[in-house]
Amino acid sequence: MLDSIALGPQALSNYLLLAAALFAAGIFAVIARRNAIGMLIGLLFMLNSAALNLAAFSRFSTVQGQPGRLEGQVSAIFVIVLAAVQTAVVLALVLAAYQTHRTVDMDEMDELSH
Amino acid sequence: MTLSGTIFWFVVLVTVGSALFAVVARSMLHATLSLCATLLGIAAVYLFLHAELAAAIQVLVQAGGAVLLILFAVMFSSKMQGEWWERGRKPAAIVGGGAIALLLFFVLSATIHALSGPLLEASGGAEAIRAPEVRDVGRMLLGKYMIPLEAAAVAILAALIGSMVLLKKEAR
């Protein structure tokens, strides 16, 4: 394990471990947080960790003489843009629910119709 | 350790530290600012991966756009609620969430560690190839992935129109 610490940015496993840590933090935020916007922050962490995984595998796939397979970077770009768009839609939902329930506390919104 | 290795581990430390603070912080404003720091740290990691276009788009779209949206929503909802702080969480949720998150992280890191032999071999040849440029990624986006690019633009338009429809006040 110490040689992967010494390699740093040249070892694929370090990027995958960073993405795994971010994903675990995102899951904890979605499960343990009561605020709807806190859950949204966890969702953003999960999406970004997936995009980081894609970009890391794109960097470390070797094709002879070519700069690796760039599909991973393109997929990472799409995931980033669509994550921001999903944030906008989820915030619109949260604010629309707020207009009905007058709270963003998810534990109090446990009925479909007010 | 080389200079780039030191900077890399510093960036990883900042990213993971602000991610952990963002999921634990009780004040939503602190959580949002830690989210911004985490997204900027992820953009720096993209720079280490020779993904400059992804880093630029991450800073512009997410650390700029999504954080701004979340900041507006936090300020709006906390102004109406009268407080910044999230209400107290249930201990069952914290324990269960922490257990699931730790279990997931250990399973993933065990898998990565078990596969790290062949992964390290694959990364050994990574420095001999030409580093990808933004030109190559742009050529792919406008060539082979033109249809997903246009579909993403239509998805953004649909999401914006949908958000406006959702927030329209209906006459009751």
Side-chain angles (χ1 to χ4, degrees):
Chain A
M1 192 182 76
L2 283 178
D3 47 357
S4 72
I5 291 181
L7 272 178
Q10 272 105 33
L12 174 60
S13 50
N14 296 329
Y15 297 103
L16 299 185
L17 280 174
L18 170 66
L22 279 174
F23 194 84
I27 283 232
F28 177 71
V30 169
I31 293 178
R33 272 200 177 262
R34 273 175 82 160
N35 199 348
I37 302 176
M39 290 180 172
L40 178 63
I41 289 175
L43 186 67
L44 265 182
F45 281 160
M46 289 196 269
L47 285 166
N48 275 301
S49 86
L52 191 60
N53 257 333
L54 287 169
F57 275 112
S58 148
R59 157 88 170 90
F60 286 98
S61 65
T62 59
V63 177
Q64 292 301 325
Q66 300 295 317
R69 302 186 61 87
L70 285 177
E71 277 88 351
Q73 278 193 34
V74 173
S75 310
I77 289 174
F78 281 127
V79 169
I80 289 170
V81 168
L82 288 175
V85 163
Q86 286 167 23
T87 300
V89 173
V90 168
L91 281 173
L93 278 174
V94 164
L95 290 179
Y98 185 80
Q99 285 173 4
T100 312
H101 292 260
R102 288 292 155 195
T103 180
V104 287
D105 192 334
M106 296 298 277
D107 281 347
E108 293 182 16
M109 291 196 223
D110 50 2
E111 292 172 6
L112 266 183
S113 66
H114 188 61
Chain B
M1 221 189 301
T2 64
L3 178 63
S4 73
T6 314
I7 295 178
F8 173 73
W9 286 115
F10 175 69
V11 164
V12 165
L13 197 65
V14 164
T15 306
V16 173
S18 33
L20 289 177
F21 182 64
V23 302
V24 161
R26 286 203 59 197
S27 162
M28 292 315 298
L29 188 60
H30 293 167
T32 310
L33 295 177
S34 306
L35 168 75
C36 187
T38 310
L39 293 176
L40 289 175
I42 295 178
V45 175
Y46 278 132
L47 284 178
F48 274 107
L49 287 170
H50 297 297
E52 287 93 359
L53 189 59
I57 290 180
Q58 169 94 3
V59 171
L60 281 174
V61 169
Q62 290 217 314
V67 166
L68 197 70
L69 287 173
I70 292 181
L71 210 55
F72 277 140
V74 163
M75 290 189 178
F76 178 71
S77 65
S78 63
K79 182 179 186 298
M80 292 296 154
Q81 269 179 311
E83 55 184 6
W84 289 112
W85 304 92
E86 185 185 2
R87 312 257 175 82
R89 299 174 216 172
K90 300 192 175 130
I94 296 179
V95 167
I100 290 179
L102 281 175
L103 182 68
L104 182 69
F105 179 65
F106 278 129
V107 166
L108 283 174
S109 57
T111 310
I112 293 168
H113 187 68
L115 291 174
S116 67
L119 285 179
L120 276 180
E121 280 176 19
S123 70
E127 289 306 314
I129 59 179
R130 180 170 66 96
E133 295 178 0
V134 179
R135 177 184 320 165
D136 304 321
V137 180
R139 211 173 271 150
M140 282 192 85
L141 270 176
L142 287 177
K144 195 169 150 190
Y145 289 96
M146 164 79 89
I147 293 183
L149 184 70
E150 302 297 331
V154 171
I156 292 172
L157 180 67
L160 285 178
I161 294 180
S163 307
M164 282 198 294
V165 166
L166 276 174
L167 287 177
K168 203 172 60 141
K169 286 196 195 299
E170 297 172 1
R172 300 233 168 114

